[in-house]
Amino acid sequence: MPCQTCGACCASFRVSFHHSQLDSEVGGYVPAMLADEETASTCRMRGTDRSPPRCVALQGEIGERVSCAIYEFRPDPCRDFAAHGVHGIQNEACNQARARHGLPRLADH
Ligand code: SF4
Ligand code: SF4
């Protein structure tokens, strides 16, 4: 799995999700202390709207070894974002994030 030595997408895109996913809401699980309010109905992972972006939950060195501090409790956009080429999934945004951080593109499969 290329993600554990990458992390580029966690430091490239704004990560927005519905506030019902916050652990401050009934049935939610994403730590509210790591998110900022965005609109009346959405919030975002803190740090992902900065320039350059980097999610506060991302641990480690991009392109070396990384992990998500809230992996079990990450929001939907993170769960839906797949590495390009893994399990036949095509996700050009993955390779765009990697290019942004000077990492080689993942091959199509
Ligand atoms: S940019 Fe792609 S390879 Fe890198 S962590 Fe994100 S999904 Fe994984
Ligand atoms: S919550 Fe985890 S998977 Fe999602 S952007 Fe932040 S570090 Fe990446």
Side-chain angles (χ1 to χ4, degrees):
M1 190 63 181
C3 299
Q4 289 162 348
T5 55
C6 178
C9 55
C10 307
S12 294
F13 306 119
R14 184 174 295 200
V15 179
S16 302
F17 54 97
H18 195 265
H19 66 66
S20 61
Q21 290 179 44
L22 293 174
D23 64 1
S24 53
E25 308 277 333
V26 176
Y29 45 85
V30 181
M33 63 184 297
L34 299 182
D36 294 318
E37 192 173 304
E38 188 174 59
T39 70
S41 60
T42 64
C43 47
R44 75 174 80 86
M45 288 307 299
R46 186 164 301 147
T48 62
D49 66 332
R50 293 188 191 143
S51 185
R54 181 176 167 126
C55 178
V56 294
L58 182 66
Q59 299 177 319
E61 197 72 33
I62 293 167
E64 300 287 339
R65 180 139 300 270
V66 293
S67 61
C68 172
I70 58 165
Y71 188 77
E72 300 289 325
F73 308 106
R74 67 200 189 286
D76 280 353
C78 307
R79 295 170 190 273
D80 294 343
F81 198 94
H84 181 79
V86 175
H87 304 309
I89 291 167
Q90 305 303 301
N91 181 9
E92 261 317 304
C94 163
N95 273 331
Q96 287 167 7
R98 289 176 61 86
R100 179 179 179 141
H101 289 274
L103 299 170
R105 45 175 299 120
L106 298 178
D108 303 336
H109 284 292

